[in-house]
Amino acid sequence: MTTVRSMKKIRRRGRNTARGWLAQAVKTYLRALESTEAQTPRPELYSQINELVGQVLAGCDKSERCTEPVSLILDETVQWLVDELGIKDDESRKALEKRSRSSQPESPTPVESAFKGLTPLHQLTPTPPLSLCPELARDENGSLDSRTVGKLRDFHPEIVLISPQIPPNTGTIARLCAAMSCRLHLIEPIAFDVSEKSFRRAGLDYWQFVELYVHSDWEKFLAMRPHRRVILVETGGQKSPSDFEFQPGDLLVFGAETFGIPQNILAQCKESQRGHIVTIPMFDRGVRSLNLANSVSIVTHCALARLHKGFS
């Protein structure tokens, strides 16, 4: 139905609003009704559904962000549907309530609980990168101590994603940044919310080791990193990452999965002495592009191999 498709769009645009929760609840409950209300003629049921969904969406048009527990909203919606559609049969009511309980969000997993969110922008200082690699001091377990990690982030390249589109890709890149002691920058607009489960889960339980920043636009980001070269990873470059002379603190810039780096940014960097373009060579050019997370891994490894002689 057209209304159901509209609900999907609404839910994608506002996951944390009462409108989004109610739209998902109604969609779930209507599926239950279709299986439990066999005595209701299908055309009549669909007519009731369309009318009810219209009422729900109209009633939520001016809703503020949801402050009530989701379980309470779902319970209230179940009762509303029961009353609105005149469900009298106890079995039908039980089936509806069972479906509503199964649709409620699960309690946060340890991975989700470990998500620390964004690093405040005021912690990002515009100082030049370290010119020499710091001594790698380790603790009794063989892990780098926090002070060493901080210095490495000032020496290593920083990963920059312009308008990332796919949450698991960005979460996987965040995990890479944690392992390689690199900062991660996201340039808005971003096609997802950093609170999404698929984004958090791709980073596993390493979020405490991720330094993640979100910038409202490209120009403001550049203003915060004035002393660093911009290395654009895009087609049309003259050198591959394995041949490029990376320097400490380089900004490794990657475009969105669907449209790459915007043309205005490419043009700006071509005119500037600050910008360079590298291209990952591929043997079969019938393949248009590589996965974003794979591309970031390849270029980051090449950059670290250049900065750390013998890095493997």
Side-chain angles (χ1 to χ4, degrees):
M1 292 180 297
T2 303
T3 309
V4 172
R5 287 197 294 271
S6 300
M7 285 194 294
K8 288 182 179 179
K9 292 180 181 178
I10 289 171
R11 183 166 176 257
R12 282 199 298 269
R13 285 200 292 261
R15 289 177 180 272
N16 297 326
T17 61
R19 171 191 289 199
W21 283 115
L22 283 175
Q24 176 62 14
V26 169
K27 178 183 172 183
T28 302
Y29 303 151
L30 297 183
R31 285 178 178 172
L33 284 174
E34 286 186 303
S35 61
T36 56
E37 293 296 292
Q39 69 275 19
T40 304
R42 183 170 291 270
E44 181 183 342
L45 178 61
Y46 274 9
S47 176
Q48 293 176 343
I49 287 172
N50 276 315
E51 182 180 352
L52 177 60
V53 169
Q55 293 173 4
V56 171
L57 298 183
C60 293
D61 265 343
K62 297 181 180 180
S63 65
E64 299 296 331
R65 285 196 173 274
C66 176
T67 56
E68 294 181 278
V70 173
S71 58
L72 178 60
I73 293 177
L74 294 177
D75 289 342
E76 290 177 349
T77 309
V78 169
Q79 188 57 49
W80 183 13
L81 284 163
V82 166
D83 296 338
E84 192 74 21
L85 296 182
I87 301 175
K88 304 299 183 182
D89 181 74
D90 288 340
E91 291 302 319
S92 297
R93 180 188 293 263
K94 289 177 182 177
L96 193 61
E97 292 175 348
K98 181 179 179 181
R99 181 67 68 92
S100 76
R101 285 194 297 272
S102 66
S103 69
Q104 294 181 24
E106 301 173 355
S107 57
T109 65
V111 171
E112 292 160 11
S113 299
F115 180 69
K116 301 299 181 183
L118 305 178
T119 306
L121 274 178
H122 64 76
Q123 293 187 21
L124 187 64
T125 59
T127 54
L130 294 180
S131 57
L132 297 175
C133 180
E135 182 180 351
L136 304 183
R138 301 182 183 275
D139 59 24
E140 61 275 9
N141 298 320
S143 300
L144 295 175
D145 62 38
S146 58
R147 184 173 298 180
T148 300
V149 170
K151 291 180 179 179
L152 275 176
R153 286 175 178 158
D154 289 333
F155 176 69
H156 282 174
E158 299 185 357
I159 311 304
V160 184
L161 307 182
I162 299 177
S163 300
Q165 307 285 301
I166 303 174
N169 270 346
T170 308
T172 301
I173 293 167
R175 180 180 174 184
L176 173 74
C177 290
M180 302 302 175
S181 296
C182 298
R183 293 186 177 96
L184 176 59
H185 304 272
L186 308 182
I187 310 299
E188 293 183 324
I190 302 171
F192 56 88
D193 193 298
V194 294
S195 64
E196 289 195 25
K197 288 183 180 180
S198 56
F199 172 69
R200 299 195 306 265
R201 287 175 176 169
L204 297 181
D205 56 347
Y206 301 119
W207 288 108
Q208 58 183 314
F209 307 115
V210 179
E211 196 171 322
L212 171 64
Y213 300 93
V214 171
H215 305 267
S216 58
D217 61 55
W218 173 253
E219 297 298 336
K220 289 181 179 178
F221 164 71
L222 283 184
M224 299 191 74
R225 315 310 279 153
H227 306 289
R228 298 168 188 256
R229 295 192 309 172
V230 178
I231 313 302
L232 304 156
V233 183
E234 187 59 277
T235 57
Q238 298 301 312
K239 287 191 175 182
S240 73
S242 58
D243 298 327
F244 189 78
E245 291 288 340
F246 290 98
Q247 297 178 6
D250 280 345
L251 304 174
L252 308 183
V253 180
F254 300 82
E257 291 92 335
T258 53
F259 54 82
I261 298 175
Q263 288 300 315
N264 64 313
I265 294 178
L266 287 171
Q268 176 192 42
C269 290
K270 284 180 180 178
E271 296 172 1
S272 169
Q273 295 295 324
R274 189 178 174 184
H276 304 268
I277 300 178
V278 299
T279 299
I280 301 173
M282 294 186 290
F283 289 99
D284 187 352
R285 292 302 298 166
V287 177
R288 293 190 304 275
S289 62
L290 298 175
N291 172 269
L292 177 61
N294 290 343
S295 299
V296 174
S297 300
I298 291 169
V299 179
T300 302
H301 189 278
C302 290
L304 293 177
R306 180 70 63 176
L307 296 177
H308 298 267
K309 302 302 181 182
F311 175 77
S312 60

